[in-house]
Amino acid sequence: MGNKLRMGMVGGGAGAFIGPVHRMAAELDGKIELVAGAFSQSAERSRAAGAGFGIDPARAYAHYAEMIEAESRREDRIDFVVIATPNHLHLPVAEAALAAGIAVMSDKPATATYDEVLKLETAVARAGLPYGLTHTYAGYSLVREARSLCAAGALGPIRKVAVEYLQGWLSRPLEATGQKQAAWRSDPALNGPGGCIGDIGTHAFHLVEYVTGLRVTSLNAALRTVVPGRRLDDDCNALLRLEGGASGTLMASQVAAGEGNGLRLRVYGEKGSIEWQQEDPNRLRVKWLDEPEQTRHAGVGYLSADALAVTRLPGGHPEGYIEAFAVLYREFADSLIAWKAGKGIALPDTLPGIRAGVRGMRFIERAIESNKTESWVEF
Ligand code: NAD
């Protein structure tokens, strides 16, 4: 136990969605343990959550600022803070942790607004500490395989990208029922100005740049609010232009009735293409212009070194969401261990960090601007 990295969590109390995923993923590789937290807005609920996780009652705090202050004074202080709260708290929690010399693993989007992420970028640079961002899908082995194929030029120059992220859970005004996840996501003060485009559009955008290695240079986006009374967008279509002359489409919706977590990426080069779907994550389809189509399976020895490096189980034993999340934690933990040993910051480029955070927030801001002006906007 003594050698594990010590994690302090903000958010993730009873009934939270992603907090428990962070805890499971962080602990999967035996490098991290949860020792502290401010798990809820309510002191009582934070204490109750801490008791449930078996942490020292003195380290279940009423407020994140109290946690950072108290932990800073301990010899066995937390090594990093994980942020699993609604978006409006991402910047203040990260800033407080970094100012106290504590590293940060944050959920996406990096902040609530583009202005905020620029402040965060400065804070990360000033602190000189590791900062990771949990764009979950970057942790799947077959996403790494797709990325390797693009980087090696196997598909030829990239010509076209089609990404879609379709969910149906906000097809009705769920926020009006008080449902927790829907309530803060449809409140601009807690979520930020981009609804669906911020919540899941950023994941799709990140996946495009992560897999192709190409940056989006301009976009033309149409954002709509389909459900009457909703305060933020819930349905988005965008045209993209990328470096090197490629173009693409990005479709994100949370009113696609019947869809669960339908994230699908297709990338077309001159010689062939790839297709990956989050709901079938252990298969990557590779289609060639002049050869028969392939299906590559997770966990099999023919995969690239990058894919095998994040493979835990032999082929045929499905890996999923928690394992992908845990890949990001393992990369973050290894970097933090190296940093603690005085080796400086060497976050691998496979782990999304502050640069991805800034790109994601810029994407939201640009999409809103494009929608407002009904025109193409430069990135
Ligand atoms: P949620 O509403 O389920 O959980 C938020 C938690 O934050 C709750 O436990 C709440 O009590 C707590 N909280 C709120 N204010 C707090 C405060 N002041 N101090 C301490 N805790 C506080 O929300 P969620 O769906 O889990 O989303 C949380 C974050 O994770 C969001 O930023 C969201 O965008 C992100 N997210 C990422 C992924 C992913 O794939 N990586 C998936 C879902 C959500």
Side-chain angles (χ1 to χ4, degrees):
M1 264 213 165
N3 291 331
K4 290 188 181 180
L5 293 171
R6 293 179 289 271
M7 172 169 89
M9 171 168 263
V10 185
F17 164 35
I18 211 68
V21 175
H22 278 272
R23 283 193 295 276
M24 289 184 271
E27 297 189 344
L28 195 67
D29 285 303
K31 297 179 186 229
I32 295 169
E33 65 176 324
L34 177 73
V35 299
F39 301 103
S40 164
Q41 265 171 291
S42 126
E44 196 185 320
R45 284 205 297 273
S46 185
R47 267 196 299 278
F53 306 142
I55 65 169
D56 176 350
R59 297 176 91 173
Y61 299 95
H63 194 277
Y64 70 84
E66 185 195 338
M67 173 176 87
I68 289 164
E69 204 267 320
E71 288 291 323
S72 301
R73 284 188 273 108
R74 294 179 72 106
E75 222 167 88
D76 62 347
R77 68 196 293 209
I78 50 177
D79 294 299
F80 74 98
V81 166
V82 52
I83 305 171
T85 63
N87 306 343
H88 70 299
L89 290 169
H90 293 190
L91 175 68
V93 177
E95 276 187 328
L98 293 167
I102 297 169
V104 172
M105 184 69 145
S106 175
D107 218 316
K108 46 54 62 181
T111 53
T113 66
Y114 182 59
D115 285 350
E116 283 186 3
V117 84
L118 298 179
K119 289 186 191 150
L120 179 61
E121 189 180 30
T122 305
V124 171
R126 190 183 301 131
L129 287 160
Y131 171 91
L133 188 67
T134 50
H135 271 299
T136 318
Y137 308 104
Y140 281 93
S141 65
L142 290 182
V143 167
R144 302 275 170 110
E145 178 73 2
R147 188 174 194 255
S148 287
L149 280 166
C150 290
L155 306 179
I158 305 302
R159 291 172 158 173
K160 187 167 183 66
V161 173
V163 67
E164 61 191 49
Y165 199 156
L166 303 177
Q167 299 182 334
W169 69 291
L170 291 177
S171 292
R172 295 201 177 102
L174 197 57
E175 59 272 35
T177 68
Q179 202 265 11
K180 189 172 159 167
Q181 282 82 20
W184 72 256
R185 278 179 172 81
S186 48
D187 181 343
L190 306 181
N191 178 86
C196 171
I197 196 79
D199 195 31
I200 59 173
T202 42
H203 271 309
F205 170 80
H206 179 260
L207 195 63
V208 166
E209 292 201 333
Y210 187 81
V211 168
T212 63
L214 301 174
R215 297 197 313 169
V216 171
T217 54
S218 59
L219 59 80
N220 190 334
L223 314 183
R224 296 194 300 158
T225 303
V226 173
V227 171
R230 180 161 287 155
R231 290 190 281 167
L232 290 168
D233 62 274
D234 53 20
D235 183 74
C236 323
N237 297 305
L239 300 175
L240 309 175
R241 291 193 189 116
L242 293 94
E243 289 170 325
S247 71
T249 59
L250 183 152
M251 185 163 61
S253 182
Q254 293 180 311
V255 295
E259 294 288 354
N261 199 38
L263 172 61
R264 177 164 73 137
L265 174 71
R266 285 169 290 170
V267 177
Y268 298 90
E270 268 179 37
K271 295 190 274 188
S273 60
I274 60 97
E275 175 177 356
W276 181 80
Q277 297 194 41
Q278 196 273 160
E279 291 182 350
D280 185 16
N282 290 286
R283 270 192 287 219
L284 176 72
R285 292 174 77 188
V286 188
K287 303 174 198 175
W288 301 107
L289 189 60
D290 298 317
E291 288 173 44
E293 178 178 325
Q294 299 173 339
T295 300
R296 298 193 183 185
H297 294 264
V300 184
Y302 54 62
L303 295 175
S304 63
D306 279 358
L308 292 174
V310 297
T311 296
R312 297 163 192 278
L313 297 170
H317 299 77
E319 294 189 30
Y321 195 71
I322 310 280
E323 289 91 341
F325 226 103
V327 163
L328 304 184
Y329 266 100
R330 188 167 71 195
E331 292 180 332
F332 180 76
D334 288 342
S335 304
L336 190 49
I337 290 165
W339 178 83
K340 282 182 75 177
K343 296 180 186 158
I345 301 186
L347 292 171
D349 74 350
T350 45
L351 174 67
I354 188 62
R355 211 174 320 130
V358 173
R359 292 289 296 166
M361 296 313 299
R362 180 70 172 162
F363 167 70
I364 299 170
E365 187 269 336
R366 292 284 78 193
I368 291 171
E369 176 67 14
S370 169
N371 180 62
K372 200 165 74 185
T373 57
E374 296 190 354
S375 64
W376 281 91
V377 293
E378 295 300 310
F379 223 81

